[in-house]
Amino acid sequence: MARLSPYQDIPAHGFWRSAVVEQRPETLDHLHKPKFALSPDTAIMTAGSCFAQHIHRRLTKSGWNVLQVERLPDQIPKSVRQQYGYDQFSARYGNIYTARQLRELIADAFADTPSEPLIWEHEGRFFDALRPTVEPDGLKFASDLKRSRQDHLQSVRGLLNQTKVMVFTLGLTEAWLDNATGRALPTAPGTIAGTIETNPATFHNFSYPEILEDLKQTQSILKHQNLDIQILLTVSPVPLVATASGHHVGPASTYSKSVLRAVCGTLQDSDPDFDYFPSYEIITTPVVGGPFFARNLRDPSSEGVDTVFGVFSLAYEGADPPLVQSKAVPEQQKSSEDVQCEEILLETFRK
Amino acid sequence: MRRDPAGDIPKMTRIAILGNSHIAAYKAALPLIKSKFPDADVTLYGVNNADFHAKSLGHSNPLRVRSQEDAQSGGMIDIKGPVELDLSAFDRVLLASHGFYLPSYYSILATHDVLGLTTAGHSKSISLGALTKAMRLRTTAYRKKMQQFYNPDSRFVVVQMPFPAQQSVQNIPDIAGTAQQPDADRLMALFNTIVSKELKQSNLNYAPVPSRMIAAPFLSLAQFARANDLCTKPEASDFTHMNASYALETLSDLLVP
């Protein structure tokens, strides 16, 4: 039989109707086809934005070999450890929202002379501007903060030396750069400590080329240290809580996530040491029965997080697929706007 | 000493002392107590503090241990006390030797610098803020469990667990390291303040270790070590439990304010 279209031989997972509307079971294990091996024994480092905390906790709870440095003894209650930035990620770096932050952290960790800490002062207490949440009340002495940062960088260096796979969750393109040093900050001055008047910083919305370059440079630093670390990228499905871009927060979120997702796609397709896991799509779209948002329409629901890890386990461990409830609407119920779309013609080739 | 409101005549005071292995000091002190306070009728009752955490006894009156053997296997010493105790029959109830998790902090303070205080040169650190918050949370949790278990009223006094004796620094590294913290005095004051405030806010009577019995932060005077009253090995190296003199001093403070 003559081959009529390039879509003729595409399997079921390539079609929206069979993969998403009908949720055919055989399509689910194609949602993520790992490029490199990852098993519960692999030494994993987690880092990134808030969603990376879900990844860290779930993998740790499930018995995966998630590395953890900078621990406090068990005598310190779990709630205190978490409030002070312990056990949230593989090290006590707080949220790393941007690729630039990651690059600068890793560069600092291996630098012969790490850059001077950025210190914010608030009501006589000192905060590390590069991770201001890890000491919620700040520290009494600036010298303690310097020592704490030095210890932290040493721990990060040790962590990277053990890591085989880094799971990094990209959160934002928007950031504030410290005017004096150019360093990317996790939050604007004045949000937790410091003020925009005395700690001047400039808003910056990282572009696709900049983020791509930051991730490549991160990889380059690791290779320069003879570290063979593969990087599994994810994009946080959590929308921006606020934008400084001047745009509506909705389109600003979409722009930010789109740029991040595009960078991931480029690296996934072009570099053997980068891969992408679609937690963003699982939470925000109907690909696996979603979207999955909590009542505040921002945080992922627990069902969504369960589904993310169901797909993760299916992809890497061959576990049973997660239970998926199709939210398909009846055929006769048309969309509110019956638009014409050439794409829909491709449906005729669906198997 | 309890007095009869009608005639101001001293009457027999019935005292129950409940506690873990630290009540051995009170057992050793019984002859001294009898001599100094002839009207005091002291009953000792072994309760492993772990029992009220595990809620294995639950709040009940009378308190009942499963058996003396069980009590001993839980780390209790043999005090030959009663198996059952009706707390309503006592004028005073001493809940002896409550540490509010202090021993668990020794291992942290022996190995960590406390950021915010003078550093000791350890490679690991914890901020004073995190340590304080942990102490507060855990002290509250301890107090709640203790209160739920004993349902204490105004007759009850919570007695602080004794600090280990000075000699303990020779054979217990965690205690040595804690005592060597440059700001050990401030750390001890921090802990004591947190516990005192917690109990005061809950209207519980509290008897901290009297300062005259403390040699240095976190350390009792050497003369109070149980080892001083023993002549056999290996018990002679017991510097964490106190002796009869210590118990008598503590009881005297409570009976003769």
Side-chain angles (χ1 to χ4, degrees), chain A residues 3-149:
Chain A
R3 193 160 176 262
L4 298 175
S5 161
Y7 290 90
Q8 189 172 0
D9 297 327
I10 288 176
H13 66 260
F15 288 92
W16 191 264
R17 176 170 296 278
S18 46
V20 179
V21 180
E22 296 172 359
Q23 297 281 345
R24 285 195 197 168
E26 72 270 20
T27 65
L28 198 56
D29 61 359
H30 289 273
L31 189 56
H32 179 58
K33 284 291 184 189
K35 281 172 65 180
F36 42 76
L38 183 60
S39 76
D41 296 329
T42 309
I44 296 171
M45 166 185 170
T46 64
S49 71
C50 304
F51 189 74
Q53 293 176 29
H54 287 295
I55 294 173
H56 184 85
R57 283 182 205 153
R58 287 300 181 102
L59 290 178
T60 302
K61 197 175 171 186
S62 302
W64 288 63
N65 182 20
V66 179
L67 299 170
Q68 183 76 68
V69 297
E70 295 187 284
R71 306 200 74 158
L72 276 185
D74 290 342
Q75 295 95 314
I76 304 298
K78 186 178 172 186
S79 62
V80 176
R81 295 202 302 268
Q82 294 198 337
Q83 193 180 356
Y84 282 79
Y86 296 92
D87 305 345
Q88 303 275 47
F89 307 100
S90 285
R92 198 179 171 219
Y93 22 62
N95 292 314
I96 300 176
Y97 292 105
T98 60
R100 179 66 55 87
Q101 274 180 269
L102 179 71
R103 171 185 171 177
E104 290 176 344
L105 171 69
I106 291 177
D108 254 358
F110 289 112
D112 294 332
T113 311
S115 52
E116 279 291 303
L118 274 177
I119 299 176
W120 285 342
E121 190 178 348
H122 179 66
E123 295 181 348
R125 308 285 295 184
F126 297 94
F127 295 79
D128 184 344
L130 300 177
R131 46 176 195 148
T133 57
V134 301
E135 286 290 341
D137 303 316
L139 291 171
K140 188 176 180 183
F141 305 113
S143 57
D144 282 344
L145 192 149
K146 288 178 183 175
R147 183 257 169 95
S148 176
R149 177 135 201 100

Side-chain angles (χ1 to χ4, degrees), chain A residues 36-37 42-43 110 160-166 218-231 271-274:
Chain A
F36 42 76
T42 309
F110 289 112
L160 288 163
N161 280 320
Q162 302 173 63
T163 299
K164 289 295 172 198
V165 171
M166 181 197 302
T218 299
Q219 182 191 38
S220 173
I221 297 166
L222 295 172
K223 287 197 182 300
H224 186 70
Q225 297 295 326
N226 292 319
L227 296 176
D228 187 20
I229 296 176
Q230 291 169 309
I231 301 176
D271 191 315
D273 289 332
F274 282 95

Side-chain angles (χ1 to χ4, degrees), chain B residues 9-132:
Chain B
I9 301 167
K11 290 180 69 175
M12 182 66 75
T13 299
R14 295 158 300 175
I15 303 167
I17 303 177
L18 285 64
N20 57 14
S21 56
H22 287 280
I23 63 170
Y26 294 91
K27 182 176 171 62
L30 282 175
L32 298 172
I33 295 169
K34 195 71 188 167
S35 170
K36 188 169 181 181
F37 303 106
D39 294 326
D41 177 18
V42 174
T43 298
L44 300 176
Y45 187 77
V47 182
N48 193 331
N49 288 346
D51 280 346
F52 70 77
H53 289 300
K55 295 183 180 173
S56 59
L57 291 179
H59 170 233
S60 61
N61 192 16
L63 286 173
R64 188 190 299 274
V65 293
R66 287 148 292 185
S67 69
Q68 282 295 345
E69 288 74 25
D70 280 355
Q72 286 165 39
S73 67
M76 286 293 307
I77 57 165
D78 181 9
I79 58 163
K80 306 287 187 218
V83 173
E84 188 176 295
L85 198 67
D86 179 0
L87 293 177
S88 66
F90 292 89
D91 303 300
R92 305 291 293 272
V93 179
L94 269 59
L95 303 179
S97 64
H98 286 279
F100 297 90
Y101 300 121
L102 177 62
S104 72
Y105 302 125
Y106 291 149
S107 61
I108 298 175
L109 297 176
T111 54
H112 289 68
D113 279 349
V114 181
L115 301 180
L117 300 178
T118 309
T119 57
H122 296 299
S123 59
K124 292 186 280 190
S125 65
I126 179 173
S127 70
L128 186 58
L131 182 65
T132 303

Side-chain angles (χ1 to χ4, degrees), chain A residues 1 23 108 212 227 256 295 318:
Chain A
M1 185 176 166
Q23 297 281 345
D108 254 358
L212 190 65
L227 296 176
S256 189
R295 292 180 69 181

